[in-house]
Amino acid sequence: MALSLLAGPANAGKVALLLERYLGALESDPVLIVPNRPDVDRAERELLARSGALLGGSIGTFDDLFERVARGNGAHRPVVTEAQRTLLLRRVVARAQGRSARFGGFADALGSTVAELESALVEPGELEGELAELYAAYREELDKLGLWDRELERRHAAERVAGELEAWDGRPVFAYGFEDLTGAQWALLNALAGRAEVTVSLPYEPGRDAFASLSRTAADLSALADGVDELPPNTEARSAVLAHLERTLFGGPAGDSPPLDGSLRFLEGGGLRGTLEIVAEEVLALLRAGTPAEEIAIVCPGLDHWRAALDTAFATLGIPYALEGRIRLGQTPFGQALLALLRYAWLDGDRRDLFAFLRSPYSGLTRSHADFLEGRLRGRGVREAARVEEEVQKLRGQPLPHLEPLRSADDPVAAVERLARAMLRAAYGLESPPTREQARIDLRAHERVGRLLSELEGWSELGASVSRDEIVALLDSTRVSLPRGGQAGRIAVLDLLDARTRRFEVVFLLGLEEGRLPRRSQGSPFLDEESKAELERSSRAGRLLRTDPVSRDRYLFYTACTRPTRRLYLVREAATDDGSPREPSPFLEEARSLFDPDDVERATTRRPLAALTWPLERAPSERERLRALGALAATEDETAEALARANGWERRLERALGAFERPTRLTHPAVLEELQQKGSFSVTDLERFTDCSSLWLIDRVVSPRTIDAQVDVRLRGTIAHQALHGFFKGLQKKTGAERVQPETLPQALELLRECLSDAIKAHVRLDLPDLERRELEAGLARDLEQLVRHEAESPSPLVPHRFEVSFGSERSAPELQRGLDLGGFAISGKIDRIDRDPFGARGMVLDYKSGKTAHSARKIESELHLQIPLYMLVLRDLVGIEPLGGIYRALGGEGQARGLLRAEARDDGVPGYPRNDYLDEEAFWGQVDRAKGHAQAVVERIRSGDVRHDPKGGFPCPSWCDRWPMCRVKRT
């Protein structure tokens, strides 16, 4: 009995030879060990293709063999599941570290370290310090429960083969696809080699850096083997270029490089999406040329980073693909909805969690109903869970489904199980089996949830408990296995590790940027490399895995480069999405250096970040061809028009080119008739039209509103106006004076705070958190108190007379309802405050502004502000007061006050303002008349539908305007 080692580089025929020997030993009922569960099916298919039928032998993974052997003598204990092991580790950490159990990362790191130590056959007694205590406590807990973990089962199996004759019956063993052997795997192979013929295939070639991470395994197996069959490289299995890459990559024998013939290509893209789009373009060309989709692979360092971007790039072009591996439960639609509801019901989640569930197809509610409920809640600013449920019940007339059973359940595990069944039933019903691709993923997610809950039920049967937050944490960390690879008609997307034992015609190797490959290592917080080396030297049987991560990634890169039989693409992201350059991976640089630089340059396809479209001749789909045509029209309009005519795209091109130049004038007869019959216009409407007529159309006619209630400038202004209205109306009663006096300032401020509190209660109808409410109140109190203090210091003899004076509406005073007649139409509006001379019929207008600045007389003229000039006419012609001027009073900042004032009243009517705001009679009334004429011109334009893209001050549009997506104006 002995071990035979088959060694050689990639594509040398090692696995084929091992399978031939396996078939030759079928009469002895041999055992074939493969790396992973999907490899079992592939090995069976390959063996059947060679022999036609398999009448003996068995195929499985190392774990299958461990389990079979461990259960053979009746001493086997139940094996703790992954979820149960996590809970057990948390219990150990809680007892040893107290509050540290709250941090799942500590227990997870301990679990990884313990698994590594157990796999290496290291006992707790061989350690020291806190790790030794935690490891011993973990093993003690397992013994109390009468359980093993997976590593202890493996150890028992290895010890049984080594010490019990009946543990193995002499069947030959064949194994391939392994590089690093754990202590338990090594002990099992060692024991089997003394009891049966063992044949192991190992990719290895002495002296090459590509195989440096396998040198220890190769040395150990060579020492155990009676003979080593070193297979020579098979250069005929690939093209000359791919064979040269395999032979020379990372320290192979030097030689003249063949010219690149298309079997090796390099792709460089700007940004993640741009990189994947250039990959998608090549994939689509391969599919159209007849390459079967299942013969194309996308290999990545890790799937999580690429998953969403791949879906966007490939789905846009309709490329079928299948991710291979496992994803987190929360990355599946079913798992995302389940976790969202559990977080809301059990972990004080917010409204967003609740509606992530309700809007999903698993809630039993229609999407429109969920949108209606959330819209009402967001419009009222309802966020707290209790208020959310209270308001929803009012709107629906009944409570939300599933919440009460979850919260009141005595057994949370059973409650989650019932919820998962109800979710699947709500999404797919009971009439017909779900068959769509998404349904398959949902069924896998549901199945995985069911297995986890069964594990938790088993945990409860052991006398242990599981809390609700632990259930959510375990579900969140659970991974769902995606459909196995090799699906007909789909491109395989897999990581470097899963690609080792696969073969494809074409491989795209992604992630060849510095920092992504080789990957940054994440060592154990409990055991560094020096500690591992010392522990291995002192241990009697320990075999810790101490492979250098860079060497490991170097080997995986080499392996990935040898997977294609026809063509290899090496792909890198040359720049980030924000334009920062990215350096290539040193592995990519090594591959490039093996060929002539000029050849490499010719074999490189680049797509810069600025390339928003493909070149027209290379656009992979009709949608992309149309986008490319639009881009071409910007520089070669005649060529673009000719191409559009030739392909029947004239209408589409015309619409694309006119996207930002569509006519803005209102032409519909019904709209024009309504505008022409309109007899009253507000001052605010006219000022907004002056700012930009398109902005007027959107803001004042279309009038879009945000769905979320929020404390905005409009709300703050409303509260401030209401508070000041109440303050000045109650001032005389509170202080005995018509205006604020220095000696009554404390009483006035007290009244102001009362009025502000009442205004907030009256106008803040949304559910504001306490912090936001206090912030709103404090900010307004600061601004309004500043205004009141300025009032106390003002030298003006005028006293506040009327407040919130509405004119031109049915709610106005009878004498003001007709509005300000400007000939053919009337002006409506509301004056914030009128101050009057107590000894005469003179007065002035004050208009409060929520910002920090006020408009001077010059700005009122140059920027076409209409309020103050037109209010002068209202004051004179409607209210019956001789106007001395008008002031804009800023509530924020330093409380600036500027405006339009008559110079003749500077000393006895309106003193104390900047001198440039005082105008003589001719200038004052001339400015008022010009404002009147501008208002008449604006109304004439409105009635004729003359809407343009005409921002005041010209283009570009002001930065504060956020309506450009609706009016479709170019920003640059």
Side-chain angles (χ1 to χ4, degrees):
M1 306 301 176
L3 183 142
S4 298
L5 178 62
L6 305 179
N11 306 322
K14 303 179 298 300
V15 175
L17 178 58
L18 181 137
L19 293 180
E20 288 294 335
R21 293 185 180 183
Y22 174 85
L23 291 173
L26 279 180
E27 294 182 356
S28 302
D29 196 20
V31 175
L32 175 61
I33 304 174
V34 296
N36 305 301
R37 181 64 54 189
D39 293 311
V40 174
D41 297 335
R42 281 192 288 271
E44 286 179 348
R45 288 194 296 269
E46 188 167 349
L47 288 168
L48 286 170
R50 291 170 178 268
S51 64
L54 294 175
L55 303 179
S58 60
I59 305 172
T61 64
F62 249 125
D63 278 343
D64 294 332
L65 183 58
F66 278 127
E67 184 177 358
R68 183 191 309 170
V69 173
R71 292 177 180 274
N73 64 351
H76 186 271
R77 291 183 181 183
V79 176
V80 68
T81 67
E82 191 63 33
Q84 294 169 353
R85 184 174 182 271
T86 300
L87 294 172
L88 191 148
L89 283 164
R90 290 190 175 194
R91 179 191 294 183
V92 169
V93 172
R95 291 178 180 176
Q97 298 291 329
R99 295 170 62 88
S100 295
R102 294 180 305 155
F103 305 101
F106 186 87
D108 294 342
L110 176 64
S112 299
T113 303
V114 167
E116 184 178 4
L117 292 170
E118 287 187 320
S119 296
L121 307 182
V122 175
E123 289 294 318
E126 299 179 72
L127 302 172
E128 296 178 354
E130 182 183 12
L131 179 59
E133 296 175 3
L134 291 170
Y135 186 12
Y138 168 74
R139 292 282 286 270
E140 183 180 346
E141 287 293 329
L142 282 175
D143 289 338
K144 286 181 181 178
L145 296 172
L147 300 174
W148 280 340
D149 60 14
R150 189 65 62 188
E151 284 73 24
L152 287 175
E153 181 186 55
R154 294 166 181 164
R155 178 175 188 148
H156 174 73
E159 291 175 347
R160 185 163 179 260
V161 172
E164 298 180 19
L165 290 175
E166 64 275 14
W168 195 255
D169 56 6
R171 285 176 294 167
V173 176
F174 299 85
Y176 76 89
F178 304 98
E179 294 88 26
D180 298 326
L181 293 173
T182 66
Q185 290 171 340
W186 172 251
L188 181 63
L189 281 179
N190 199 354
L192 287 172
R195 310 281 297 277
E197 294 290 339
V198 177
T199 304
V200 177
S201 168
L202 180 71
Y204 186 71
E205 194 171 5
R208 282 188 69 178
D209 289 343
F211 301 98
S213 63
L214 284 69
S215 58
R216 180 189 182 189
T217 302
D220 291 345
L221 289 173
S222 297
L224 183 64
D226 281 353
V228 177
D229 292 333
E230 294 188 12
L231 277 66
N234 181 7
T235 57
E236 303 299 323
R238 303 290 186 271
S239 69
V241 170
L242 293 181
H244 177 75
L245 178 67
E246 186 281 319
R247 295 310 307 140
T248 57
L249 187 61
F250 300 130
D256 294 335
S257 63
L260 293 180
D261 57 2
S263 58
L264 176 62
R265 298 185 182 181
F266 303 90
L267 303 180
E268 296 182 1
L272 179 59
R273 179 170 178 176
T275 303
L276 291 179
E277 283 182 344
I278 197 172
V279 170
E281 177 189 6
E282 294 288 339
V283 169
L284 198 60
L286 289 167
L287 294 175
R288 288 172 174 171
T291 303
E294 60 271 19
E295 288 295 333
I296 302 174
I298 309 293
V299 180
C300 320
L303 296 182
D304 288 344
H305 174 75
W306 304 91
R307 184 170 175 267
L310 269 171
D311 184 64
T312 300
F314 281 23
T316 300
L317 300 183
I319 296 175
Y321 73 98
L323 283 165
E324 298 187 17
R326 301 194 304 165
I327 59 174
R328 287 177 40 249
L329 177 66
Q331 292 177 306
T332 67
F334 178 86
Q336 185 179 26
L338 174 65
L339 287 166
L341 183 61
L342 294 180
R343 278 192 293 266
Y344 178 81
W346 287 350
L347 303 183
D348 298 325
D350 56 18
R351 184 188 66 204
R352 182 174 52 186
D353 292 319
L354 175 62
F355 279 91
F357 168 74
L358 293 180
R359 193 176 283 104
S360 73
Y362 315 100
S363 67
L365 303 183
T366 63
R367 180 69 178 264
S368 59
H369 184 51
D371 288 343
F372 164 75
L373 295 175
E374 187 176 20
R376 289 299 181 91
L377 296 178
R378 290 173 64 177
R380 299 173 186 175
V382 179
R383 296 181 180 89
E384 295 181 1
R387 290 278 296 123
V388 166
E389 293 170 44
E390 177 186 343
E391 291 298 321
V392 166
Q393 186 158 353
K394 289 179 183 178
L395 293 168
R396 298 185 74 239
Q398 58 182 325
L400 287 169
H402 309 303
L403 274 179
E404 183 54 32
L406 271 178
R407 288 173 172 161
S408 61
D410 295 329
D411 183 354
V413 174
V416 175
E417 189 175 5
R418 290 192 294 269
L419 172 63
R421 283 201 303 269
M423 288 173 59
L424 209 61
R425 187 165 55 248
Y428 299 106
L430 301 175
E431 290 75 22
S432 59
T435 56
R436 293 182 289 108
E437 181 64 28
Q438 184 56 59
R440 295 176 62 194
I441 296 177
D442 284 346
L443 290 173
R444 284 178 173 272
H446 179 268
E447 180 186 12
R448 184 65 189 94
V449 170
R451 291 203 306 271
L452 174 63
L453 296 176
S454 297
E455 294 175 15
L456 296 182
E457 289 175 357
W459 181 250
S460 299
E461 292 170 1
L462 294 171
S465 61
V466 57
S467 65
R468 293 177 174 183
D469 62 333
E470 287 175 328
I471 294 175
V472 176
L474 289 169
L475 286 169
D476 192 38
S477 61
T478 293
R479 290 191 167 264
V480 178
S481 297
L482 296 170
R484 293 181 181 178
Q487 299 182 57
R490 292 181 180 272
I491 293 162
V493 180
L494 62 165
D495 63 20
L496 286 167
L497 201 61
D498 289 336
R500 295 171 303 157
T501 57
R502 304 287 294 277
R503 287 285 188 275
F504 300 94
E505 287 188 27
V506 182
V507 169
F508 291 81
L509 182 50
L510 276 56
L512 300 183
E513 303 90 38
E514 188 175 11
R516 189 162 288 150
L517 196 71
R519 292 166 285 194
R520 295 182 177 92
S521 62
Q522 296 180 346
S524 168
F526 293 98
L527 278 177
D528 56 25
E529 292 302 314
E530 291 183 5
S531 300
K532 289 182 181 180
E534 179 61 32
L535 182 59
E536 191 170 70
R537 283 193 295 268
S538 61
S539 174
R540 290 180 290 107
R543 181 186 174 88
L544 285 159
L545 300 179
R546 292 189 289 110
T547 301
D548 173 33
V550 175
S551 298
R552 176 68 169 162
D553 280 344
R554 186 185 295 118
Y555 167 72
L556 292 175
F557 175 77
Y558 162 83
T559 305
C561 289
T562 62
R563 298 306 89 196
T565 60
R566 183 160 64 92
R567 184 177 298 170
L568 171 66
Y569 290 87
L570 299 180
V571 186
R572 82 174 183 101
E573 186 181 344
T576 62
D577 290 327
D578 60 6
S580 301
R582 299 202 64 171
E583 294 298 320
S585 163
F587 297 166
L588 175 61
E589 295 286 61
E590 174 79 13
R592 283 173 168 172
S593 69
L594 302 177
F595 299 94
D596 181 83
D598 292 337
D599 277 0
V600 170
E601 185 63 28
R602 283 190 292 271
T604 301
T605 302
R606 295 182 175 88
R607 184 175 182 182
L609 193 62
L612 302 180
T613 63
W614 272 281
L616 186 60
E617 67 276 8
R618 287 173 44 203
S621 66
E622 184 178 16
R623 177 178 181 273
E624 295 302 329
R625 284 191 286 276
L626 288 168
R627 293 181 69 234
L629 182 68
L632 179 66
T635 55
E636 301 179 35
D637 54 344
E638 293 183 0
T639 303
E641 290 174 4
L643 287 169
R645 286 192 299 271
N647 292 278
W649 295 336
E650 303 99 312
R651 171 72 173 157
R652 294 183 179 185
L653 180 61
E654 180 183 351
R655 291 188 62 189
L657 293 178
F660 290 109
E661 298 175 1
R662 292 185 177 181
T664 56
R665 190 179 187 91
L666 304 181
T667 58
H668 196 283
V671 174
L672 293 176
E673 182 181 0
E674 180 180 345
L675 292 175
Q676 289 163 2
Q677 293 178 356
K678 186 176 176 67
S680 178
F681 296 87
S682 73
V683 179
T684 305
D685 278 349
L686 300 185
E687 283 203 340
R688 186 49 53 94
F689 195 96
T690 300
D691 289 338
C692 176
S693 53
S694 290
L695 185 60
W696 165 82
L697 176 67
I698 294 170
D699 266 7
R700 310 300 293 185
V701 180
V702 179
S703 189
R705 293 291 182 267
T706 176
I707 191 174
D708 290 301
Q710 55 188 351
V711 179
D712 55 9
V713 174
R714 180 175 297 180
L715 178 60
R716 291 175 63 89
T718 301
I719 296 171
H721 281 65
Q722 181 64 34
L724 290 173
H725 183 197
F727 170 76
F728 283 109
K729 290 199 70 172
L731 182 63
Q732 187 170 12
K733 182 178 179 181
K734 181 74 173 178
T735 66
E738 290 184 293
R739 56 172 298 168
V740 182
Q741 305 287 346
E743 58 272 14
T744 62
L745 183 58
Q747 295 170 278
L749 293 177
E750 182 182 349
L751 173 63
L752 177 67
R753 286 188 283 270
E754 293 174 2
C755 293
L756 177 58
S757 178
D758 292 341
I760 290 176
K761 290 177 182 177
H763 291 282
V764 180
R765 299 183 178 90
L766 59 156
D767 284 15
L768 274 184
D770 289 341
L771 180 61
E772 290 186 30
R773 183 178 288 272
R774 288 198 298 270
E775 182 182 9
L776 171 64
E777 188 168 2
L780 287 172
R782 180 185 62 250
D783 293 342
L784 298 183
E785 284 184 15
Q786 177 178 248
L787 182 143
V788 171
R789 293 181 187 277
H790 286 169
E791 290 282 337
E793 299 168 357
S794 173
S796 174
L798 306 183
V799 296
H801 176 59
R802 297 180 67 174
F803 312 96
E804 305 294 327
V805 182
S806 172
F807 60 94
S809 71
E810 295 179 355
R811 296 184 179 182
S812 305
E815 69 275 13
L816 302 178
Q817 287 183 1
R818 67 180 186 275
L820 178 65
D821 186 3
L822 293 187
F825 66 94
I827 295 294
S828 62
K830 182 183 288 186
I831 300 174
D832 294 339
R833 174 177 149 194
I834 298 175
D835 286 4
R836 181 174 181 173
D837 186 343
F839 305 108
R842 302 187 306 166
M844 68 179 293
V845 167
L846 276 86
D847 190 78
Y848 301 125
K849 293 297 180 186
S850 299
K852 298 180 180 180
T853 59
H855 307 305
S856 65
R858 182 178 297 175
K859 283 191 174 181
I860 291 173
E861 173 84 4
S862 63
E863 297 180 3
L864 300 176
H865 296 289
L866 300 178
Q867 280 183 313
I868 291 299
L870 294 181
Y871 286 171
M872 297 300 95
L873 297 177
V874 173
L875 198 61
R876 184 189 69 183
D877 300 342
L878 295 182
V879 181
I881 292 178
E882 178 66 19
L884 301 179
I887 288 296
Y888 289 112
R889 169 75 76 173
L891 298 179
E894 298 179 357
Q896 192 179 57
R898 301 293 301 269
L900 177 65
L901 301 166
R902 293 170 68 177
E904 67 175 27
R906 180 172 186 174
D907 297 327
D908 65 339
V910 283
Y913 295 99
R915 64 183 179 86
N916 291 336
D917 289 344
Y918 294 98
L919 304 182
D920 60 33
E921 289 299 292
E922 182 180 355
F924 180 87
W925 291 111
Q927 190 162 330
V928 171
D929 287 340
R930 286 190 293 276
K932 176 181 175 181
H934 181 70
Q936 292 169 335
V938 167
V939 170
E940 184 178 349
R941 284 187 59 192
I942 290 176
R943 285 178 166 174
S944 66
D946 184 15
V947 175
R948 311 170 191 167
H949 292 150
D950 53 355
K952 185 168 59 180
F955 286 101
C957 295
S959 58
W960 51 262
C961 180
D962 59 356
R963 302 305 193 193
W964 60 271
M966 299 183 68
C967 66
R968 309 190 77 168
V969 175
K970 294 180 181 179
R971 299 293 282 182
T972 57

